[in-house]
């Protein structure tokens, strides 16, 4: 048991949350939580060490399925570090390449002053240290 868990804190995908409850169904754990700095209850689903966040259990489950699925990243193969893309494409590519869940991505974006367009190297710099940032950087470094 981690030091976080011993005081009722769930640390998943770089997000800290106070655990309210946990239900276990075979290899799936559904945690009811309040993310540190927030006041609204949300959910974290864990399966075999893979976590997914959501405003509802259904959202977290859909995000987990997405994280565990075979995410096709082939449409990003031609992008270079200086390729300019929309914010929407930046988010879509980041989630597909890293497996970041929707709630975690949204929480990250809410903390930023975002532009409408980015170069890939700007996204790499902006997300440095965030969940999956090294995976994203390596995808475009190859």
């Amino acid at each position: 048991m981690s030091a976080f868990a011993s005081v009722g804190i769930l640390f998943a995908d770089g997000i800290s949350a106070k655990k309210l409850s946990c239900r276990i169904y075979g290899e799936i754990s559904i945690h009811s939580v309040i993310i540190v700095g927030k006041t609204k209850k949300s959910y974290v689903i864990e399966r075999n060490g893979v976590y997914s966040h959501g405003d509802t259990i259904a959202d977290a489950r859909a995000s987990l399925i997405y994280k565990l699925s075979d995410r096709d990243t082939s449409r990003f193969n031609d992008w270079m570090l200086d390729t300019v893309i929309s914010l929407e494409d930046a988010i879509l590519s980041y989630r597909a390449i890293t497996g970041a869940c929707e709630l975690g991505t949204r929480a990250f974006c809410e903390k930023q002053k975002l532009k409408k367009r980015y170069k890939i190297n700007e996204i790499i710099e902006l997300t440095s240290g965030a969940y999956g940032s090294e995976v994203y950087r390596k995808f475009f470094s190859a």
Side-chain angles (χ1 to χ4, degrees):
M1 177 181 284
S2 74
F4 287 114
S6 67
V7 293
I9 300 292
L10 177 67
F11 188 70
D13 295 344
I15 300 171
S16 299
K18 174 73 175 156
K19 285 199 321 183
L20 304 174
S21 67
C22 178
R23 290 179 277 158
I24 299 173
Y25 304 95
E27 61 186 25
I28 299 205
S29 299
I30 300 175
H31 305 273
S32 171
V33 302
I34 296 180
I35 294 173
V36 172
K38 305 277 183 176
T39 57
K40 184 179 167 191
K41 179 170 76 169
S42 62
Y43 298 88
V44 177
I45 295 182
E46 174 190 5
R47 179 177 180 199
N48 298 328
V50 178
Y51 296 90
S52 183
H53 297 77
D55 286 333
T56 66
I57 292 173
D59 290 344
R61 182 178 290 127
S63 241
L64 182 66
I65 291 167
Y66 179 78
K67 273 182 126 172
L68 295 173
S69 69
D70 180 22
R71 300 174 313 270
D72 182 14
T73 60
S74 61
R75 68 183 181 151
F76 314 122
N77 287 341
D78 293 334
W79 292 2
M80 307 303 283
L81 291 175
D82 61 351
T83 301
V84 177
I85 60 172
S86 68
L87 175 60
E88 179 180 285
D89 281 342
I91 292 169
L92 291 172
S93 68
Y94 197 87
R95 287 198 63 208
I97 293 166
T98 67
C101 67
E102 189 271 335
L103 186 66
T105 303
R106 186 172 359 120
F108 176 85
C109 289
E110 287 172 356
K111 295 177 185 174
Q112 312 300 318
K113 183 173 180 157
L114 297 173
K115 305 184 306 185
K116 292 184 180 199
R117 303 193 69 71
Y118 284 93
K119 289 183 180 181
I120 297 300
N121 61 356
E122 291 177 300
I123 298 165
I124 291 169
E125 184 178 320
L126 178 68
T127 59
S128 179
Y131 175 84
S133 62
E134 283 302 305
V135 173
Y136 196 80
R137 184 186 59 76
K138 286 178 183 173
F139 184 89
F140 292 107
S141 299

